[in-house]
């Protein structure tokens, strides 16, 4: 199975939270060089900053040896952090088993590609929507399609030249209707260049808990009886830590409405097993998720 198939298989296999998040996302920065219309970053109402390196490293040490996928990003482009390359290397040198770096691909310079390979970063997920430059650049202002294509091919070439096992490369596509019309051409171009272990992953557009209107998606709150809605799987598997330490169990919670702790004041395990998060799970299990404003209004519920 390819990386995202494995991820989804684990995510949906049960609602056992275990002792540590299956997916731990750490926001290295929420600064970004693009203004994508599929991202709620500019409307989150949070301050903009790079994470303090000492804080990042403390989260890495806590994750060492854990059965977790460590995502060194949040709502920004991680390569804008001036120390990000060193932070990637730190993850590898300090026992973090699986790292999935999500990037918009604009900063995959030759030195940065070498750093990815040197650090044995497990997965690099690159956002690139379809095969039409005009569509891509309209939805990701600030990016140049051909430059991103060249950057991806650079990483592929260097991986082969260095005979490196990692990274596994995932090309991630937000599957809006107009992008989907270009996917046959996209697959025809990229599939021969990828290894069998690499992946082209088409994800459904999300509304970020109703924050954005997305083509093909209704951002309005669910109209069905929420008391019969199964618990959202996200609150059992994921934890997002923002650059200021605040933590939420929902990857769509861009403004941190569901704050369940602060990782500058508590350990990851304390937050994961703490009363605020346990209470959220109980409300979902009791069919009372409508009592949680973000969940009540969320069209992206993951049952």
């Amino acid at each position: 199975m390819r990386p995202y198939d494995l991820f989804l298989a684990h995510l949906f296999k049960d609602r056992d939270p275990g002792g540590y998040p299956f997916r731990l996302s750490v926001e290295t920065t929420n600064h970004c060089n693009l203004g994508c219309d599929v991202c709620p970053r500019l409307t989150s109402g949070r301050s903009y900053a790079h994470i303090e390196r000492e804080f990042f490293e403390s989260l890495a040490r806590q994750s060492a040896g854990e059965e977790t996928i460590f995502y060194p990003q949040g709502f920004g482009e991680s390569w804008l952090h001036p120390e990000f390359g060193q932070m990637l290397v730190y993850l590898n040198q300090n026992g973090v088993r699986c790292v999935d770096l999500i990037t918009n691909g604009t900063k995959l310079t030759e030195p940065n590609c070498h750093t990815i390979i040197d650090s044995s970063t497990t997965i690099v997920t690159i956002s690139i929507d379809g095969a039409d430059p005009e569509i891509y650049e309209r939805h990701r202002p600030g990016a140049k399609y051909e430059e991103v294509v060249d950057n991806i091919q650079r990483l592929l070439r260097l991986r082969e030249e260095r005979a490196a096992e990692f990274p596994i490369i995932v090309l991630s596509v937000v599957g809006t209707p107009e992008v989907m019309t270009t996917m046959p051409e996209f697959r025809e171009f990229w599939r021969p260049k990828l290894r069998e272990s690499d992946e082209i992953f088409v994800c459904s557009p999300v509304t970020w808990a109703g924050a954005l209107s997305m083509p093909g998606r209704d951002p309005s709150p669910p109209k069905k009886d929420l008391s019969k809605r199964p618990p959202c799987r996200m609150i059992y598997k994921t934890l997002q830590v923002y650059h200021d330490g605040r933590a939420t169990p929902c990857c769509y919670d861009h403004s941190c409405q569901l704050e369940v702790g602060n990782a500058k004041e508590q350990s990851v395990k304390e937050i994961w097993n703490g009363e605020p998060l346990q209470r959220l799970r109980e409300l979902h299990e009791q069919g009372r998720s409508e009592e949680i404003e973000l969940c009540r209004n969320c069209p992206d519920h993951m049952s």
Side-chain angles (χ1 to χ4, degrees):
M1 295 179 74
R2 295 196 176 106
Y4 275 55
D5 293 330
L6 288 169
F7 174 81
L8 292 172
H10 188 103
L11 186 67
F12 285 97
K13 74 174 184 177
D14 57 38
R15 294 193 184 91
D16 179 8
Y20 203 82
F22 168 61
R23 167 180 174 151
L24 177 65
S25 298
V26 177
E27 186 175 68
T28 52
T29 185
N30 61 345
H31 289 287
C32 192
N33 57 334
L34 305 185
C36 305
D37 59 9
V38 295
C39 176
R41 183 183 70 91
L42 295 175
T43 58
S44 70
R46 296 190 292 118
S47 62
Y48 295 97
H50 299 315
I51 199 170
E52 297 166 358
R53 185 169 170 183
E54 182 178 352
F55 175 44
F56 177 90
E57 291 179 353
S58 76
L59 294 169
R61 290 192 297 272
Q62 291 179 61
S63 303
E66 297 286 353
E67 295 294 336
T68 188
I69 304 176
F70 192 105
Y71 288 73
Q73 68 278 314
F75 288 90
E77 172 51 51
S78 295
W79 286 108
L80 296 182
H81 193 299
E83 298 179 286
F84 183 63
Q86 297 156 280
M87 292 153 69
L88 266 187
V89 172
Y90 188 90
L91 292 172
N92 173 254
Q93 293 178 340
N94 287 271
V96 178
R97 295 178 177 178
C98 183
V99 175
D100 187 345
L101 167 61
I102 300 176
T103 175
N104 61 34
T106 60
K107 300 297 182 181
L108 292 177
T109 62
E110 184 146 341
N112 288 346
C113 289
H114 280 296
T115 296
I116 288 169
I117 296 168
D118 290 340
S119 63
S120 295
T121 297
T122 321
I123 304 168
V124 174
T125 299
I126 306 165
S127 300
I128 178 169
D129 302 327
D132 187 306
E134 182 180 346
I135 294 173
Y136 171 86
E137 291 173 12
R138 184 168 70 248
H139 292 293
R140 296 188 180 270
K144 296 297 182 184
Y145 183 81
E146 295 302 333
E147 290 180 6
V148 173
V149 168
D150 288 345
N151 288 347
I152 296 170
Q153 294 190 102
R154 176 186 294 115
L155 180 57
L156 291 169
R157 173 178 57 80
L158 290 174
R159 185 181 63 173
E160 294 309 308
E161 288 177 358
R162 296 186 53 180
E165 179 181 4
F166 297 113
I168 295 168
I169 294 171
V170 176
L171 303 183
S172 179
V173 178
V174 179
T176 59
E178 64 176 349
V179 167
M180 292 305 295
T181 64
T182 75
M183 287 309 295
E185 181 182 350
F186 185 89
R187 294 180 187 279
E188 183 180 3
F189 179 80
W190 285 110
R191 192 65 253 178
K193 297 175 172 57
L194 302 176
R195 292 177 179 172
E196 180 61 31
S197 57
D198 297 329
E199 186 169 359
I200 295 170
F201 180 75
V202 180
C203 58
S204 299
V206 298
T207 71
W208 304 100
L212 294 182
S213 178
M214 297 294 293
R217 292 296 310 277
D218 182 358
S220 59
K223 297 179 176 62
K224 60 185 177 181
D225 182 0
L226 299 190
S227 67
K228 296 180 172 58
R229 183 172 68 176
C232 181
R233 304 228 172 212
M234 204 174 288
I235 59 176
Y236 299 89
K237 300 296 180 181
T238 70
L239 191 70
Q240 173 75 61
V241 177
Y242 291 120
H243 65 80
D244 58 3
R246 292 185 298 156
T248 173
C250 176
C251 294
Y252 302 148
D253 184 13
H254 60 95
S255 58
C256 205
Q257 293 183 45
L258 296 182
E259 184 176 346
V260 292
N262 193 304
K264 287 189 173 182
E265 302 165 358
Q266 304 161 270
S267 70
V268 171
K269 287 185 177 180
E270 286 172 339
I271 296 171
W272 190 242
N273 299 299
E275 192 279 332
L277 186 43
Q278 289 193 39
R279 179 60 176 162
L280 286 178
R281 293 171 184 150
E282 288 172 1
L283 288 172
H284 275 249
E285 290 162 5
Q286 294 167 6
R288 297 165 60 193
S289 63
E290 64 181 9
E291 296 179 26
I292 308 164
E293 182 180 1
L294 187 75
C295 302
R296 179 173 65 246
N297 297 321
C298 179
D300 303 311
H301 181 92
M302 190 177 291
S303 58

